[in-house]
């Protein structure tokens, strides 16, 4: 795993050696449950087969709402970011009225990639670097060499292909589907399912928080291993010593954090959600007393994790790039006044950075084994992991959809 920091305070922890590359697996049905306590996982080839990954690109990442960009990263009109969603490159920008817009990053002339940088800023328009077709920030074709001599060309019809966009939690969520699924059901519904209501999440006012730190992790593992890892705490006592010091109930390995509305309580004597349990920052305005000294985790399938603690929010966005490589961008979000004060964030950031490194190392250790003959039929889930079976059913149901 490699990590990349944007300017900030926490030092990266050492990465691990590269795992062996995954290989395509073979076809095999899920194993029968060998014991009532255990249920079968997906077979190994679900994590290594490029064909399955292509289906996931089609039926999951390109079909559902995908959390792409923090809105504040596009502060001014003309700022843009490019993101990979499934097999498509998408450019997200802010138009002259300050509204976010997203387009397939493809020139309508002969298909050149329009924006080649990951991020940048233009004054008024996006110009293709090939033959200079030029589009305004709403995607309309506004100029091209000799365009005036082609009066019949409909400039809207040859505009950039728009992508559906919703803003939520201060992020731009995009959907490539012609008919997107209900955002309320599939995205906001995940928070309701976890917390019991959306008001409990709204109180953190994530939209108004500011980015204190971003770390990008390049994880050599299939995206589903990362989701499964986030969904269970059976591993917490083994690999997360700092986290279980702060949240002692995680040391039991039960998935208590997944009971509706339950937040894991800080340990006695713990002052804040920091790497050494020292004090964090003031409680975010609007939180209820019962949300204080608690940690809540939400999985928004397919690629987002939201972590709520009293003084900040940590949000992970995954970008699955291949069957054995996933880039994870993790944002630490604080009250703007905390950042304005110039206070040291390092102990606050370091706790979840260590958790991330510990988790992603575990995923990278698991990935090469997915192509082993020992894992052809898959592995097993213990009772505290049984809810991961629901995730596996969700994946296989999505893949069996007819397109
Ligand atoms: Fe973009 Fe020709 S491909 S202008
Ligand atoms: Fe973990």
């Amino acid at each position: 795993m490699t990590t990349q920091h944007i300017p900030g305070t926490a030092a990266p922890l050492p990465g691990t050696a590269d795992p062996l590359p995954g290989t395509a697996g073979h076809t095999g049905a899920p194993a029968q449950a060998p014991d009532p306590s255990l249920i079968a996982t997906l077979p190994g080839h679900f994590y290594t087969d490029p064909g399955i990954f292509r289906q996931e690109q089609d039926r999951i990442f390109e079909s559902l709402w995908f959390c792409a960009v923090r809105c504040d990263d596009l502060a001014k009109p003309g700022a843009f970011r490019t993101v990979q969603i499934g097999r498509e490159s998408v450019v997200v920008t802010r138009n002259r009225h300050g509204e976010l817009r997203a387009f397939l990053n493809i020139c309508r002339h002969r298909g050149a990639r329009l924006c080649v940088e990951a991020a940048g800023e233009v004054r008024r328009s996006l110009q293709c670097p090939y033959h200079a077709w030029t589009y305004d920030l709403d995607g309309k074709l506004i100029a091209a060499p000799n365009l005036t001599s082609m009066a019949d060309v409909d400039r809207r019809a040859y505009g950039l292909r728009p992508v559906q966009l919703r803003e939520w939690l201060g992020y731009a969520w995009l959907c490539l589907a012609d008919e997107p699924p209900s955002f309320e059901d599939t995205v906001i519904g995940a928070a309701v399912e976890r917390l019991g209501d959306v008001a409990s999440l709204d109180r953190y006012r994530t939209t108004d928080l500011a980015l204190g730190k971003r770390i990008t992790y390049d994880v050599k593992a299939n995206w589903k291993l990362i989701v499964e890892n986030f969904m269970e705490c059976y591993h917490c006592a083994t690999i997360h010593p700092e986290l279980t010091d702060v949240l002692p109930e995680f040391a039991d390995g039960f998935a208590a954090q997944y009971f509706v509305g339950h937040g894991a309580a800080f340990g006695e004597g713990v002052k804040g959600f920091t790497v050494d349990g020292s004090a964090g920052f003031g409680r975010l305005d609007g939180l209820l007393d019962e949300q204080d000294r608690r940690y809540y985790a939400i999985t928004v399938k397919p690629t987002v994790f939201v972590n709520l603690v009293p003084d900040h929010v940590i949000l992970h966005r995954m970008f699955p790039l291949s069957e054995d490589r996933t880039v994870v961008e993790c944002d630490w979000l604080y009250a703007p006044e905390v950042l304005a004060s110039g206070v040291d964030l390092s102990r606050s950031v370091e706790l979840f950075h260590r958790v991330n490194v510990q988790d992603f190392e575990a995923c990278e250790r698991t990935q090469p084994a997915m192509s082993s003959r020992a894992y052809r039929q898959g592995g097993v889930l213990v009772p505290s992991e049984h809810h991961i079976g629901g995730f596996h059913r969700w994946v296989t149901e999505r893949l069996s959809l007819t397109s």
Side-chain angles (χ1 to χ4, degrees), residues 107-112 114 128-133 135:
C107 177
R108 294 298 307 283
H109 174 219
R110 281 174 45 214
L114 192 62
C128 178
Y130 196 177
H131 312 89
W133 278 36
Y135 306 87

